[in-house]
């Protein structure tokens, strides 16, 4: 009995320590509080510099890391309705700022905040604020994906599927269009890197276009099956990670190795789908970086058809607004665990890392995403099945 009580007490203590760890990032000051007790939040420490100036810090989940200092927190004045005005400086541990501050009351509509950068610190003023969210980019959390997937599944011919669970037990959900007579597959994945929200926005628009019951879509789904996994790193998203999953691993360096649950789930799903005459013909992986870039496989790599991606990008170029610059960057990186490289090596077909600029205008992202979806369907339909089969004799 005694030892059982001790055990329970120990469990309660462990729970308290864990909860504290989880919500330790809430800071209370006389005039204002900063809280980080919601999914995607990241705030590691706070310091009052003067009466109305606060220094907030964001730290990476672990190192080494390719730094993309994410931050997201709630700021609340102590007296509701008061029109406090404060200055916030954000400092990232051993990293330059990457994301420009945005503010929202409802997490739906976001406004850019004017800022200055000095000594790698980002400083901005929040005036006349009520309870508000401040974040590095728009907040797209795990629930957003779950309800979006549900909505698409309800309103289109795509069905919802569950691939399994992440390291911390979060569902990894997807959408699928599967017709028994189809042999060719398109794979779309996203959010390997949690802060890359512009890539996430592009994936949403792209998939919404694939789900639209247009004439071209109907022809497309008559021939091609589609698997979409929009949110591959739900633990990283929930924790407000800079880049990694809960185990501190960069998922886009794990393809082919499959040491992580999340990447291994996708491989297992592909293995179960791509049996007998079934084969993958193309794959797209959505990310964000400084500018809009398409990382492609070189045309002389062992993939078929050799010009497939170039021809698709030419279509995008001809159908997007004139101001959009298509920047293809062909390259290969064998053995590094990158998704597009794995697809090329394993299935001998093209794959693209579709990178959206961090600050690309949101209307342009949507337009680009929809144009990309539409032109990809056209282009895949125009490509004969045989052309997707690599043969060593190909040029
Ligand atoms: Zn990325």
């Amino acid at each position: 009995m005694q030892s059982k009580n001790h055990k329970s007490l120990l469990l309660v203590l462990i729970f308290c320590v864990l909860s504290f760890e989880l919500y330790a990032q809430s800071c209370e000051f006389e005039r204002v509080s900063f809280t980080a007790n919601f999914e995607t939040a990241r705030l590691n420490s706070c310091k009052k510099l003067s009466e109305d100036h606060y220094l907030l810090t964001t730290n990476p989940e672990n190192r080494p890391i390719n730094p993309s200092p994410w931050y997201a927190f709630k700021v609340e004045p102590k007296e509701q309705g008061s029109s406090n005005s404060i200055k916030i400086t954000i400092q990232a541990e051993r990293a330059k700022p990457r994301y420009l501050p945005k503010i929202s009351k409802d997490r739906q509509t976001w406004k850019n905040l004017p800022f200055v950068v000095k000594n790698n610190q980002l400083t901005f003023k929040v005036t006349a604020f009520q309870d508000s969210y401040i974040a590095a980019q728009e907040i797209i959390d795990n629930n957003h994906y779950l309800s979006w997937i549900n909505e698409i599944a309800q309103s289109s011919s795509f069905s919802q599927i569950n691939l399994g669970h992440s390291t911390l037990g979060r569902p990894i959900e997807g959408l699928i269009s599967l017709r028994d007579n189809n042999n060719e597959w398109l794979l779309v994945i996203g959010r390997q890197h949690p802060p890359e929200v512009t890539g996430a926005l592009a994936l949403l628009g792209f998939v919404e276009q694939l789900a639209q019951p247009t004439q071209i879509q109907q022809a497309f789904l008559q021939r091609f099956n589609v698997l979409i996994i929009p949110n591959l790193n739900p633990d990283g998203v929930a924790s407000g990670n800079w880049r990694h999953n809960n185990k501190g691993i960069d998922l886009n360096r794990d393809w082919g190795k499959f040491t992580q649950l999340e990447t291994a789930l996708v491989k297992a799903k592909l293995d179960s789908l791509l049996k007998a005459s079934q084969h993958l013909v193309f794959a797209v992986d959505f990310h964000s970086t400084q500018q809009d870039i398409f990382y492609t496989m070189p045309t002389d790599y062992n993939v078929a058809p050799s010009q497939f991606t170039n021809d698709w990008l030419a279509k995008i170029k001809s159908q997007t607004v004139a101001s959009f610059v298509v920047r293809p960057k062909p390259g290969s990186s064998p053995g590094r665990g990158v998704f597009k490289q794995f697809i090329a090596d394993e299935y001998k077909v093209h794959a693209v890392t579709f990178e959206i600029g961090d600050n690309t205008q949101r209307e342009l992202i949507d337009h680009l995403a929809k144009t990309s979806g539409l032109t990809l369907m056209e282009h895949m339909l125009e490509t004969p099945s045989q052309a997707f089969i690599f043969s060593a004799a190909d040029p």
Side-chain angles (χ1 to χ4, degrees):
M1 222 30 209
Q2 186 82 6
S3 111
K4 203 177 167 193
N5 278 343
H6 278 148
K7 245 187 205 164
S8 319
L9 190 65
L10 191 66
L11 281 175
V12 168
L13 270 175
I14 290 173
F15 180 76
C16 288
V17 169
L18 284 176
S19 318
F20 178 74
E21 190 57 40
L22 218 53
Y23 298 117
Q25 310 92 330
S26 292
C27 311
E28 299 285 334
F29 296 100
E30 262 168 56
R31 295 182 57 195
V32 62
S33 69
F34 302 98
T35 49
N37 58 356
F38 56 94
E39 258 200 19
T40 73
R42 170 60 59 113
L43 171 62
N44 292 94
S45 67
C46 325
K47 195 175 155 189
K48 187 172 161 181
L49 296 177
S50 70
E51 193 46 38
D52 63 352
H53 190 187
Y54 301 86
L55 175 69
L56 310 183
T57 314
T58 167
N59 300 337
E61 52 276 19
N62 63 320
R63 287 188 184 274
I65 196 163
N66 186 337
S68 298
W70 173 261
Y71 51 88
F73 51 87
K74 202 171 177 190
V75 49
E76 294 160 282
K78 279 301 170 63
E79 284 167 41
Q80 285 298 320
S82 67
S83 57
N84 285 332
S85 166
I86 55 166
K87 209 155 83 177
I88 296 174
T89 293
I90 294 186
Q91 178 178 278
E93 188 189 84
R94 286 191 276 149
K96 286 182 185 156
R98 170 170 170 179
Y99 299 113
L100 314 180
K102 294 161 188 72
I103 189 164
S104 171
K105 297 226 183 297
D106 55 7
R107 290 167 49 161
Q108 305 292 320
T109 313
W110 292 86
K111 218 174 81 188
N112 292 318
L113 286 165
F115 63 93
V116 290
V117 177
K118 200 178 155 196
N119 301 329
N120 285 341
Q121 293 179 330
L122 199 59
T123 299
F124 50 91
K125 220 167 156 184
V126 185
T127 45
F129 72 100
Q130 296 156 343
D131 295 1
S132 306
Y133 292 89
I134 290 177
Q137 293 285 35
E138 297 89 331
I139 289 177
I140 299 181
D141 63 8
N142 293 317
N143 280 333
H144 187 106
Y145 285 104
L146 295 178
S147 47
W148 176 80
I149 287 173
N150 196 268
E151 224 170 274
I152 301 265
Q154 298 291 325
S155 62
S156 77
S157 59
F158 282 83
S159 311
Q160 179 164 357
I161 53 153
N162 170 270
L163 272 78
H165 292 86
S166 67
T167 308
L168 291 181
R170 292 190 172 88
I172 296 189
E173 300 287 318
L175 289 159
I176 193 164
S177 173
L178 192 171
R179 298 194 189 166
D180 289 340
N181 294 329
N182 295 352
N183 293 320
E184 299 164 289
W185 284 86
L186 166 68
L187 171 64
V188 179
I189 70 163
R191 211 74 190 267
Q192 294 197 73
H193 297 144
E196 298 182 2
V197 168
T198 53
L201 290 169
L203 180 142
L204 299 179
F206 181 88
V207 172
E208 281 159 18
Q209 184 65 60
L210 298 190
Q212 277 287 321
T214 56
Q215 218 172 352
I216 193 138
Q217 183 247 21
Q218 283 169 11
F220 182 76
L221 297 182
Q222 285 285 344
R223 178 175 155 194
F224 296 98
N225 287 337
V226 185
L227 175 64
I228 298 153
I229 307 144
N231 182 23
L232 194 57
N233 189 357
D235 296 340
V237 167
S239 306
N241 281 359
W242 286 17
R243 189 168 176 95
H244 299 155
N245 72 349
N246 173 259
K247 297 262 189 189
I249 301 295
D250 184 340
L251 292 180
N252 206 25
R253 298 293 180 269
D254 191 53
W255 296 91
K257 308 168 189 172
F258 301 113
T259 64
Q260 300 306 298
L261 264 178
E262 293 83 5
T263 44
L265 280 173
V266 180
K267 179 60 164 53
K269 191 75 208 170
L270 287 175
D271 287 348
S272 77
L273 292 171
L274 303 177
K275 279 184 184 149
S277 58
Q278 304 285 312
H279 51 267
L280 187 71
V281 297
F282 190 58
V284 189
D285 176 17
F286 284 88
H287 287 257
S288 307
T289 188
Q290 280 79 11
Q291 29 171 220
D292 311 311
I293 295 174
F294 295 88
Y295 287 110
T296 62
M297 291 310 294
T299 51
D300 60 356
Y301 205 78
N302 287 348
V303 285
S306 61
Q307 292 296 330
F308 181 82
T309 307
N310 281 353
D311 292 344
W312 176 40
L313 298 189
K315 269 185 186 291
I316 293 177
K317 176 75 203 146
S318 72
Q319 292 187 35
T320 44
V321 288
S323 60
F324 181 71
V325 182
V326 174
R327 290 183 197 85
K329 290 217 171 147
S332 64
S333 50
R336 281 188 69 210
V338 173
F339 172 81
K340 89 168 158 87
Q341 178 74 37
F342 166 75
I343 295 295
D345 289 336
E346 179 82 6
Y347 303 102
K348 312 283 179 220
V349 292
H350 276 281
V352 168
T353 313
F354 197 144
E355 302 264 7
I356 306 288
D358 293 330
N359 304 317
T360 299
Q361 273 196 345
R362 281 18 181 187
E363 296 79 16
L364 177 59
I365 294 177
D366 196 54
H367 165 73
L368 173 65
K370 300 221 149 97
T371 309
S372 305
L374 197 63
T375 49
L376 182 62
M377 289 190 287
E378 279 174 15
H379 186 43
M380 286 176 71
L381 277 168
E382 285 164 7
T383 307
S385 301
Q386 204 50 38
F388 284 114
I389 315 263
F390 178 77
S391 112
D394 280 0

